[in-house]
Amino acid sequence: INTTPFVSGSILTAAQMTNLPMGVNADTGATATTAFSAGVALKVLTLSPTIYAGRKYQIQGKIAVQASSAGTSNALYVQGNSIARTVWYQTTAIGLNLCAMANGFTTYTATELGVTSGSATVVIDLYWKSGASGSLNTNPDAYVSAGSASQQLIIIDIGAA
């Protein structure tokens, strides 16, 4: 990482350019309405992006849920290289037939994802686990329109690790 501020006349080198964020690496979404059971992790989405050594990645996840029973301890989390990280957690109950939007992000280095040199394809999964039963719902209570609350998983290269 360049620790020296640029001044007028400075030349940006290739090495410095390589340290900059590269942006969206991979993304996917779905609009399926899928049932989930209390206490059971549901794999919502999967991506298999190419991860490059020496980089840092932000992983974002989003879902809409509708509970068919009241339950506490709701979590949205991602898992890459057997390392799980919570992106959203709620200890209060999502009430019976009420809707909630869960979304958040976390970061991983390429090393944490198992890539220490070159590049490799890594499987990254988005999971939902709830103390309640219910369903992923792309149009909770028909409030907006069909498909308006799709599930999403996004991998963003945020720069050198």
Side-chain angles (χ1 to χ4, degrees):
I1 297 199
N2 179 27
T3 57
T4 306
F6 290 103
V7 294
S8 180
S10 293
I11 297 173
L12 186 60
T13 67
Q16 291 166 327
M17 283 297 294
T18 300
N19 288 330
L20 296 175
M22 301 295 180
V24 173
N25 177 296
D27 68 320
T28 189
T31 56
T33 299
T34 306
F36 59 85
S37 300
V40 178
L42 171 67
K43 187 187 297 186
V44 179
L45 294 169
T46 297
L47 276 174
S48 298
T50 300
I51 300 298
Y52 297 89
R55 307 298 294 171
K56 191 168 189 174
Y57 296 88
Q58 182 182 82
I59 302 175
Q60 303 175 356
K62 179 191 87 140
I63 62 169
V65 297
Q66 189 164 9
S68 59
S69 65
T72 58
S73 299
N74 304 292
L76 182 65
Y77 64 97
V78 295
Q79 183 167 315
N81 193 33
S82 300
I83 300 172
R85 295 219 170 115
T86 302
V87 297
W88 181 89
Y89 186 78
Q90 176 179 310
T91 56
T92 57
I94 298 174
L96 175 63
N97 294 320
L98 294 179
C99 305
M101 180 71 77
N103 62 71
F105 67 90
T106 188
T107 60
Y108 285 87
T109 64
T111 300
E112 291 170 324
L113 292 171
V115 181
T116 56
S117 65
S119 64
T121 300
V122 175
V123 175
I124 297 173
D125 298 309
L126 177 67
Y127 288 92
W128 169 254
K129 189 172 183 179
S130 177
S133 295
S135 65
L136 302 180
N137 194 325
T138 63
N139 186 15
D141 291 336
Y143 187 68
V144 179
S145 64
S148 64
S150 63
Q151 300 95 41
Q152 293 180 322
L153 178 59
I154 304 169
I155 316 297
I156 302 172
D157 178 311
I158 58 173

